[in-house]
Amino acid sequence: MCVKISVMKRKLSLFLVLLLGISLYAQSADVITDLLEADKATFGQVCYLAGVQQNLIDDSSSYENAVQVLFEKEIIPNLEDPQAAIPLVDIAYIYSRLWPVQGGLMFRLTKGSPRYAFKQFQSDGIINKKQEPSDFVTGAKALSIYTACVNKYSGFDMKSVSMEIEE
């Protein structure tokens, strides 16, 4: 009888751990889905991406928590409303703080100010030269800019990834 209870406890524990793992994964997937479906990216969504990328927050954090942590870590200068649409200049500024962006003279002199982060991203081909700093972009575009930054500044080379199935 004691052995049956022990086996049952193990199975129940394993089930709960799997359930917890699935719910954490679902949270992260839900955030990406929300971002892809957003007509305008928000401060909370962009800060969430930045916070997770920098390991400042975990996948289960809220947008409010992401904004608060990035403010406390001085990645963003002001405590913003997580639900507010984020202008392109602020997306460029936040993303420029995540990787070692070399930048031009003005970018370096101003320590990566939002204006020059935006201009640097235009110069590097990450943001279209026709876009204005005050433009709002879709969540999908904000994620696309994030991906372009990963490819450009992180040293990750997508071309080196084999898509072939190894046998």
Side-chain angles (χ1 to χ4, degrees), residues 99-147:
W99 295 280
V101 178
Q102 296 304 314
L105 179 63
M106 291 306 294
F107 180 81
R108 290 190 310 266
L109 284 176
T110 62
K111 296 183 173 126
S113 73
R115 171 185 170 82
Y116 289 105
F118 178 84
K119 290 191 171 289
Q120 186 62 48
F121 278 21
Q122 282 184 317
S123 176
D124 289 343
I126 292 175
I127 294 176
N128 187 316
K129 291 190 186 279
K130 294 179 182 176
Q131 295 206 261
E132 296 292 325
S134 60
D135 287 351
F136 295 104
V137 295
T138 65
K141 182 63 179 175
L143 193 56
S144 174
I145 293 169
Y146 176 86
T147 304

